Amino acid sequence: MGFFMKKLILIMLFSGNSVFASTNDVEAIDKAKLSIASYNCYAFYSYLNKDKEAQEMFRLGYKSSIDFISYTKTNRINEKLAYKNVPSIYLMTSGPNADFIAGQVFASVAQTAIDKIFKDSKLDFVYEEELRKMKAQSLIRESNCELLK
């Protein structure tokens, strides 16, 4: 690599926000994904009455939601990237304030997670409590909830 190419790369790396906009978008989308994952885990832990873990997941999900929402309010995010990666949360980024939007995201994600516990692969209702508990435990493992802590 020649001297001028190295210099050009260094200038691009240190020249300001426009070069890093896509990196910031990716970081914001990662926050949205973390929010969704955390709220899912909250629902699974909550169903099993694991209050400490559930609250931990809620706090993580809430903070991540607020971070993503704040980013979308102050920056023009790459819509194609957002729609591709987190359409459900991206489509909810309007409302009177960030807390309201985070609440909407939480309610939607938590309801979907609970549905995963109460319904089988054919969308039939799971009647046995013990089977629902086993399914919630399985979803915690499949969702890698322990890694989010």
Side-chain angles (χ1 to χ4, degrees):
M1 186 180 306
F3 173 76
F4 291 106
M5 184 61 111
K6 287 180 184 177
K7 192 170 184 176
L8 178 63
I9 291 171
L10 286 173
I11 290 169
M12 289 174 61
L13 285 173
F14 297 105
S15 67
N17 288 341
S18 63
V19 173
F20 295 109
S22 63
T23 300
N24 291 337
D25 285 355
V26 170
E27 289 174 5
I29 287 169
D30 285 346
K31 291 286 187 177
K33 288 178 180 178
L34 180 59
S35 174
I36 292 167
S38 300
Y39 286 153
N40 273 312
C41 292
Y42 164 85
F44 305 147
Y45 282 126
S46 184
Y47 183 77
L48 295 172
N49 295 316
K50 294 185 175 189
D51 296 333
K52 179 181 174 241
E53 293 89 345
Q55 289 307 310
E56 200 175 328
M57 291 296 103
F58 178 82
R59 282 191 292 276
L60 181 60
Y62 175 76
K63 182 182 180 330
S64 300
S65 290
I66 294 296
D67 289 348
F68 176 73
I69 294 160
S70 297
Y71 181 81
T72 62
K73 296 294 183 193
T74 58
N75 299 282
R76 182 158 174 82
I77 193 165
N78 180 322
E79 289 186 6
K80 186 175 181 181
L81 193 62
Y83 281 125
K84 179 182 176 192
N85 290 283
V86 287
S88 59
I89 190 170
Y90 181 65
L91 293 172
M92 291 185 200
T93 55
S94 63
N97 60 44
D99 284 334
F100 177 84
I101 297 166
Q104 285 185 305
V105 171
F106 167 73
S108 175
V109 172
Q111 183 59 56
T112 301
I114 292 296
D115 286 347
K116 289 178 185 177
I117 295 170
F118 277 82
K119 295 178 182 172
D120 65 15
S121 60
K122 299 174 194 161
L123 298 178
D124 291 330
F125 188 78
V126 177
Y127 290 97
E128 293 182 42
E129 177 69 18
E130 205 52 45
L131 287 177
R132 290 193 301 253
K133 285 182 180 180
M134 288 176 13
K135 190 161 185 191
Q137 290 169 342
S138 176
L139 288 165
I140 287 170
R141 282 189 303 280
E142 289 171 20
S143 302
N144 293 312
C145 295
E146 291 293 321
L147 297 177
L148 297 178
K149 294 181 180 183

